[in-house]
């Protein structure tokens, strides 16, 4: 379904973490931006990191500030096959770029984009959050953004709640998925 016909629901799904710090590649040889310093570690500072991340998502050369309107994306993007979230006006859609499935997007009835989950086969040159993409490693994220709000052995979570949150999941030390909730 073309985005102009999307008037069903919003949802929450997908990735991202902050900007504004010196991001230096780890010894794992990743190619990420190196342009800032670690922001403080108070709860407010961590939320500031998340807000900067949500403001600096690059998807196929387009800078996204999330939340945003799906209608602001180029006509190369479409969304289809909505799965409504019970009790909300949000739905999870398959997301396409030039007719290639690239992941999922949470959209509201008025086409507001509230979440992204971009597949890990999309190169970091086409998808990144403040320079962090799928060629990055856990150490790169920790060096760039400091300690997460929460973490497990397999995830780093930045953000106090799922309304504004970036979740990095790992296979070993390599990023497996990035989910952005906004």
């Amino acid at each position: 379904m073309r985005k102009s016909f999307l008037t069903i629901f919003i949802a929450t799904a997908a990735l991202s973490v902050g900007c504004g710090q010196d991001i230096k590649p780890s010894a794992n040889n990743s190619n990420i931006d190196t342009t800032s310093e670690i922001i403080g570690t108070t709860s407010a500072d961590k939320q500031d990191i998340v807000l900067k991340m949500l403001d600096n998502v690059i998807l196929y050369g387009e800078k996204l500030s999330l939340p945003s309107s799906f209608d602001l994306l180029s006509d190369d993007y479409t969304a289809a096959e909505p799965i409504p979230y019970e009790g909300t006006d949000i739905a999870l859609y398959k997301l396409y770029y030039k007719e290639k499935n690239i992941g999922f997007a949470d959209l509201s009835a008025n086409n507001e984009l509230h979440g992204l989950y971009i597949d890990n086969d999309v190169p970091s040159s086409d998808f990144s959050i403040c320079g962090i993409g799928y060629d990055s490693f856990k150490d790169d994220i920790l060096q760039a953004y400091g300690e997460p709000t929460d973490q497990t052995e397999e995830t780093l979570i930045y953000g106090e709640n799922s309304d504004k949150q970036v979740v990095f999941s790992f296979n070993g030390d390599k990023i497996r998925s990035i989910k952005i909730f906004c």
Side-chain angles (χ1 to χ4, degrees):
M1 163 190 267
R2 301 284 305 161
K3 68 181 175 189
S4 60
F5 296 112
L6 294 178
T7 55
I8 298 180
F9 300 98
I10 304 180
T12 325
L15 64 163
S16 214
V17 170
C19 287
Q21 299 93 276
D22 267 345
I23 303 171
K24 296 182 172 89
S26 69
N28 295 321
N29 200 21
S30 62
N31 298 318
I32 57 176
D33 185 15
T34 57
T35 58
S36 25
E37 295 176 16
I38 292 179
I39 296 177
T41 58
T42 67
S43 180
D45 290 337
K46 287 182 182 182
Q47 199 59 30
D48 286 345
I49 291 170
V50 172
L51 294 175
K52 288 180 182 181
M53 290 192 300
L54 294 175
D55 241 6
N56 291 283
V57 175
I58 304 296
L59 188 56
Y60 290 99
E62 293 185 48
K63 182 180 180 207
L64 304 176
S65 294
L66 299 171
S68 181
S69 173
F70 190 74
D71 296 329
L72 296 176
L73 295 175
S74 75
D75 288 337
D76 290 330
Y77 294 92
T78 56
E81 303 175 38
I83 302 170
Y85 289 105
E86 192 171 319
T88 71
D89 74 338
I90 298 172
L92 177 68
Y93 286 81
K94 285 187 179 180
L95 181 62
Y96 295 87
Y97 178 75
K98 295 185 177 180
E99 300 182 17
K100 178 187 181 232
N101 185 330
I102 61 168
F104 298 94
D106 289 333
L107 297 173
S108 69
N110 62 354
N111 280 347
E112 290 299 309
L113 183 60
H114 287 272
L116 283 175
Y117 173 89
I118 304 301
D119 291 338
N120 63 359
D121 64 343
V122 174
S124 291
S125 59
D126 293 327
F127 171 67
S128 68
I129 302 165
C130 296
I132 296 289
Y134 282 113
D135 62 350
S136 301
F137 291 84
K138 188 182 283 187
D139 288 344
D140 298 323
I141 296 166
L142 290 170
Q143 184 175 354
Y145 310 119
E147 289 299 313
T149 307
D150 197 8
Q151 68 183 35
T152 68
E153 189 173 314
E154 297 163 347
T155 62
L156 296 178
I157 301 167
Y158 290 84
E160 297 289 324
N161 60 57
S162 62
D163 288 342
K164 294 200 183 316
Q165 193 172 67
V166 178
V167 179
F168 295 95
S169 298
F170 300 90
N171 184 10
D173 284 338
K174 183 109 168 123
I175 294 177
R176 181 186 71 222
S177 71
I178 302 171
K179 298 175 186 121
I180 303 170
F181 303 95
C182 52

